Each structure stands twice: as C-alpha cells, then as structure tokens.
Amino acid sequence: METKTNILDSLKGEKNPFKVPEGYFESLGPALQEVIDQKENEVKTEPFLSRFRPLLYAAASVAILVCATVTFISHNQENVEQARNQVPEEINGIQTKILYTHLEEESIIYYQVSE
Amino acid sequence: MIHPKFPFFDYIYITKNDNRVQESELIEQLKDESTQSQAFTALVKKYQEQVYWLIRKMVLSHDDANDVLQNTFLHAWKGIKTFRGDAKFSTWLYRIAVNETFTFLANAELKNANNMTDLEDVMVQNLASDEYFEGDELQVKFQKAILSLPPKQRMVFNMKYFEEKKYEEMEEILGTSVGALKASYHHAVKKIESFILMED
C-alpha cells in the first residue's frame, strides 16, 4: 500500500510533462478577442437573414408554383392544338371500321360456341 | 487608459495601473454594459491558465485544448448576462469548461466510432508523438492509467490530484455530492495505482 501511494506521490513531485508553445498565454487574450469579434459579427448579421428567411422561402415557393402552372397550362394548350391540327379525320373512320370488324369476329365466335 | 480596439488588452492597464482592482469589483463591472468587456477580459486573464490546464489534462493535445478553451470563453462571453454573481466567477467558468470538455470528448468518441482502436488508445499514441509532451515512459504510463477511467471520474481525479481543488468547490462545478466525489476519487486512485503496478 505504501509503495502504491509513493508512485502517485513521486509522480506529483515531477515536472509537468505537458508544454505549450512559447508565448501562448501572452497571445491568448488577443486571439480570444478575435474569435469573439468574429462570432459577434456572425450573430449580428444572422437576425437580418433569419428575419427574412421565411418570407424568401414563401416567395420562392409561390414563384415555383406560378411557373409550374403557367408551363403546364401552355404545354397542355399546345398539345391540344397539335392534336387538333395533326390528327387526320380519317383515323376516326379507320378505328370505327376496326371495331366493327372485331365485333363481328367476336359475334361469330360467340355464335359458334353457343351453337 | 483603455485600449480602443482590443478590450482583452485592458487587463494590462487595469492590473498595472490599479492593482487594487478586486474580483468583487470586476463582478460588479460585469453587470454594467459599459464596463462589461473590460471586466470580462480581466477575469479571463486571471483564470485562463488554470482553465487551460484543466482542459489540457483531459484532452491531452495542445491544439484540442486550445479549441476547447476558446469555446469555453466564447460561451462564457455569450452567457455573461446569465452570470448573477451568486457563485464565484471561477466556479461558473470551470462549469462551462467542464461541459465543453465533455462535449468535445463525446464528439471525439463519435468520430472514432468506426475506428478499430479505442479513443483512449489513439490519445495515448498521439501523446507519444506530441511535440508539446516531454514525459518519460512512466509519465506516458501514468496518462494511460488516467485514461482508463471514465471521463467524469477522470475529471474528478484531475481536479483533486493536479488542481488540488476542494471537494466543496468540485461539488459546485460538477453537481455531484461531496461524498460521491470522495468515493470517486478514492476508487480512481486505486485503479490508477493498480494499472501502473500491473503494467510494470
């Protein structure tokens, strides 16, 4: 027990093994002042931005929504116009013919099965 | 005379021109916005070395200690309005330093989570190559033994062994009862002694 206590006692009497750069404590004051000044400036500018941040977000959202709506409507109108201009009228007739043909075939099959 | 740009230099004028400026006066000056900065810098000057060594003995590296010290004084400056003078300024400052140190160690632990080597082993390895550490083999072993303690117990040991703080002051700083602190220190001493003897 005595030996154990002596270890810590002897270590306590030894020189501090940790060192600091030369002149560290003398330069600490101005260095800390610089850090505090920097942070103070950050704090001073932050409320201005943070005050307007929600407004900026809202304005950006509205702008995006308006742009998206305008683009969608104009694009949709273009498509309708294109469809009207480009689709030949005969297509309706062709489609009707195909439908009739299909119906006729189904009717024949149904007729044949039921018989 | 007060330095216009760097209030931190003001302590030079305060201490050189008027050595009678007492801590109680500085505390009073802290409450007045016109004298707050000067009083704070004077108090910082008074305690910076003590606080630095408390932090350094916990984080070991000078660069890390410097970062934690700067954060400590920054938080102290930001929270100066919350200091009412009920406790001693040094106790209040130590409390901030202790919190900053524990935060730093917790973050270091998180950053080291993916590393196969424990943070404490990394700290000892770094110590051996640290240009600001001039300890011999026994000193490295001693630091290794201290690092084997959990952070809070390490803080208790350091405050008592190196700083020779009174248990009552440690109680105010750490928010732990005197009885618990005594028991913690006693166990820490036993663990460190066993660690050193076991390694021999």
Side-chain angles (χ1 to χ4, degrees):
Chain A
M1 181 68 196
E2 206 177 359
T3 320
K4 285 180 180 178
T5 312
N6 284 341
I7 294 169
L8 285 182
D9 283 348
S10 63
L11 280 165
K12 203 170 189 176
E14 281 191 19
K15 220 170 67 178
N16 181 7
F18 292 97
K19 305 287 166 209
V20 293
E22 215 178 309
Y24 171 68
F25 289 116
E26 288 72 29
S27 62
L28 196 56
L32 284 171
Q33 184 62 50
E34 207 174 304
V35 172
I36 287 176
D37 282 348
Q38 272 178 6
K39 297 283 175 183
E40 287 279 291
N41 288 338
E42 281 172 23
V43 171
K44 276 175 193 166
T45 52
E46 201 177 7
F48 177 80
L49 278 176
S50 57
R51 201 183 301 157
F52 290 102
R53 198 168 286 151
L55 201 66
L56 287 171
Y57 288 153
S61 306
V62 170
I64 290 168
L65 198 68
V66 168
C67 284
T69 312
V70 167
T71 312
F72 176 76
I73 290 170
S74 62
H75 188 69
N76 206 25
Q77 277 178 342
E78 272 177 30
N79 282 348
V80 170
E81 287 297 318
Q82 270 184 347
R84 277 184 190 156
N85 295 334
Q86 287 176 5
V87 177
E89 284 178 13
E90 297 85 43
I91 280 181
N92 280 334
I94 292 163
Q95 280 179 336
T96 313
K97 277 178 192 170
I98 291 167
L99 186 65
Y100 284 149
T101 315
H102 186 66
L103 276 172
E104 278 167 11
E105 280 172 3
E106 268 193 343
S107 302
I108 292 160
I109 292 162
Y110 175 72
Y111 179 76
Q112 284 173 342
V113 169
S114 61
E115 269 206 337
Chain B
M1 183 186 164
I2 288 166
H3 193 289
K5 196 172 178 189
F6 297 110
F8 265 105
F9 289 152
D10 297 346
Y11 67 85
I12 298 167
Y13 301 104
I14 291 168
T15 50
K16 276 187 180 170
N17 296 341
D18 188 0
N19 288 324
R20 292 164 300 170
V21 174
Q22 297 295 311
E23 184 163 324
S24 56
E25 284 179 51
L26 293 170
I27 302 297
E28 279 305 308
Q29 288 172 14
L30 276 181
K31 293 169 189 168
D32 184 349
E33 278 195 20
S34 63
T35 51
Q36 200 173 58
S37 177
Q38 290 87 339
F40 182 74
T41 53
L43 288 163
V44 161
K45 174 65 183 171
K46 190 175 177 183
Y47 293 110
Q48 63 181 18
E49 283 198 42
Q50 292 175 42
V51 176
Y52 171 84
W53 286 115
L54 177 81
I55 297 167
R56 178 76 187 271
K57 295 281 166 68
M58 286 297 289
V59 302
L60 304 187
S61 139
H62 165 71
D63 289 341
D64 292 340
N66 184 47
D67 288 348
V68 177
L69 185 71
Q70 290 203 355
N71 284 340
T72 298
F73 286 127
L74 191 63
H75 280 113
W77 174 244
K78 278 182 182 172
I80 199 74
K81 282 176 188 163
T82 62
F83 178 70
R84 294 180 204 157
D86 302 340
K88 277 165 71 182
F89 182 81
S90 59
T91 306
W92 180 72
L93 196 58
Y94 264 89
R95 213 179 289 153
I96 298 172
V98 164
N99 285 337
E100 286 297 322
T101 306
F102 285 147
T103 304
F104 172 85
L105 290 172
N107 288 339
E109 192 78 60
L110 275 176
K111 280 181 195 164
N112 193 59
N114 294 330
N115 197 338
M116 295 293 280
T117 317
D118 286 343
L119 177 66
E120 288 70 25
D121 293 333
V122 173
M123 286 167 81
V124 171
Q125 282 167 15
N126 291 342
L127 193 64
S129 58
D130 191 341
E131 60 173 319
Y132 298 118
F133 181 78
E134 295 174 356
D136 55 16
E137 205 181 317
L138 182 63
Q139 284 286 358
V140 174
K141 198 183 287 176
F142 182 37
Q143 290 305 320
K144 217 170 158 181
I146 297 171
L147 279 170
S148 70
L149 304 171
K152 190 162 181 185
Q153 194 175 27
R154 206 188 316 160
M155 185 66 90
V156 171
F157 177 81
N158 286 351
M159 276 186 174
K160 194 68 197 164
Y161 183 81
F162 294 114
E163 310 276 320
E164 298 182 340
K165 288 222 169 288
K166 288 179 181 166
Y167 282 116
E168 287 73 20
E169 196 182 349
M170 288 165 66
E171 182 183 29
E172 280 191 64
I173 295 166
L174 298 169
T176 309
S177 70
V178 170
L181 288 169
K182 281 181 179 174
S184 181
Y185 179 70
H186 178 75
H187 287 301
V189 168
K190 294 275 169 207
K191 277 192 218 173
I192 289 168
E193 287 169 347
S194 305
F195 190 98
I196 292 172
L197 288 175
M198 196 177 69
E199 289 258 314
D200 276 336

